[in-house]
Amino acid sequence: MQRPQEISGVRRIAQAATAGLLVLVLLLTVMMAASPSLHEYFHPDADQSNHSCAVTLFTHGGVMMADVPTVLAVFVALLVGCLLPLISAEFASGDLRLGFSRGPPSFLGYL
């Protein structure tokens, strides 16, 4: 069984590898969008009018913005940012129990 430190180390390496792979794929896609000959090397039918792939979306500006309206994105960000800390917060409560040894000072009993 792996220890939690080993699991977090593997997770960190996996996240870094995934991020690096995504950056390389994005870089290759942008390079293919900039160079039609490189695009035709990977896709022989790239010069046809009905060809559609990530490179043609980059070339024609099809991935410039998300389809989600900005107002909805701001609302969700505010909802998550404000409500999630309140839901997961644990408020401290005082100790309302009195111990058996608590009472008035002993010198008051002699009066």
Side-chain angles (χ1 to χ4, degrees), residues 66-102:
D67 293 334
V68 179
T70 307
V71 175
L72 180 63
V74 169
F75 175 73
V76 169
L78 286 174
L79 186 70
V80 169
C82 294
L83 290 182
L84 191 60
L86 290 177
I87 292 171
S88 63
E90 293 183 21
F91 297 104
S93 62
D95 186 14
L96 301 177
R97 299 172 293 164
L98 294 176
F100 293 116
S101 65
R102 294 186 184 173

Side-chain angles (χ1 to χ4, degrees), residues 7-57:
I7 293 173
S8 67
V10 170
R11 182 176 291 161
R12 186 178 308 131
I13 291 171
Q15 285 178 346
T18 302
L21 182 65
L22 289 174
V23 168
L24 286 176
V25 167
L26 181 65
L27 181 64
L28 181 65
T29 305
V30 170
M31 285 174 39
M32 287 177 18
S35 172
S37 61
L38 184 62
H39 185 205
E40 288 179 10
Y41 177 77
F42 286 100
H43 293 157
D45 62 340
D47 56 352
Q48 295 180 0
S49 63
N50 63 353
H51 177 75
S52 178
C53 66
V55 176
T56 57
L57 288 175

